[in-house]
Amino acid sequence: MYERFTDAARNAMRLANEEAQRSGDDYVNTEHVLLGVAQVKSGIAAMVLAEMQVSLDDLRAEVEVAVQMRPVDSTQRKQSTTPRAKRVIELAMGIARQSQAKWIGTESLLLGLLREREEEAAGILGRVNVTKEAVLAHAARIRGPEDRTAEIEGGQDPRGQSWVDFLPNVMVLAAVGMVLYYVIGLLF
């Protein structure tokens, strides 16, 4: 799942798991992802948050207040990722794809958290005045005139393009093949 993540984004997800364990949760939710992203100092998201005067301590305090008010879900047992946290990851992948970025960085995760409006992390970011527009503006300034995401966040693809980049084309070809197989079957 994390093949196209930068080293910083992978590290953020590892830290999100640690945050969930530290708080005694059996699951990784969006607030854990937020704390993970904020801890990776080499990631663009942490740089953006620092420029916006949002500290890890501020976020942690907001998370602790939010978690105290959340009802306990006793159905989850082994540590897993909640559907909303998975949705944030999917949103981050879509954001990176839309911006034609080769890699999914911490800033994509931060934007994904902001887009999942019904979840706690988006509310926390709103309370500390972090907006999509501000994240985009700060991230563009941090990157500079050319996109240096791979440099800043670490990790370059040693093989060139990933097979994931070709997946949509393969799926279209498979669908066309299935239609042809069906049509030919009807003719004979």
Side-chain angles (χ1 to χ4, degrees), residues 45-155:
M47 294 177 196
V48 166
L49 292 171
E51 281 191 3
M52 296 180 73
Q53 309 287 315
V54 177
S55 72
L56 178 60
D57 292 336
D58 295 338
L59 292 173
R60 193 176 301 283
E62 289 285 338
V63 166
E64 287 173 2
V65 168
V67 169
Q68 287 175 356
M69 295 172 15
R70 182 177 62 211
V72 177
D73 180 8
S74 60
T75 60
Q76 300 246 0
R77 283 294 151 232
K78 73 173 206 168
Q79 191 173 18
S80 61
T81 305
T82 64
R84 296 234 187 219
K86 287 179 185 175
R87 176 78 177 129
V88 164
I89 294 168
E90 291 169 4
L91 288 169
M93 290 175 171
I95 290 165
R97 190 177 320 110
Q98 186 178 19
S99 66
Q100 298 179 341
K102 210 172 184 182
W103 296 96
I104 298 154
T106 58
E107 73 281 11
S108 295
L109 288 169
L110 184 58
L111 289 167
L113 288 165
L114 283 165
R115 285 188 58 189
E116 187 57 37
R117 292 186 190 114
E118 295 178 21
E119 194 52 42
E120 196 58 52
I124 291 167
L125 289 167
R127 287 192 292 278
V128 295
N129 299 317
V130 175
T131 64
K132 172 186 160 190
E133 294 77 18
V135 170
L136 290 171
H138 283 279
R141 197 183 63 60
I142 289 168
R143 282 194 195 117
E146 58 193 55
D147 184 5
R148 301 175 317 159
T149 305
E151 272 177 47
I152 292 173
E153 295 208 28

Side-chain angles (χ1 to χ4, degrees), residues 159-177:
R159 302 171 310 251
Q161 240 177 347
S162 169
W163 68 271
V164 175
D165 296 329
F166 298 104
L167 189 58
N169 296 335
V170 171
M171 292 175 72
V172 168
L173 288 174
V176 168

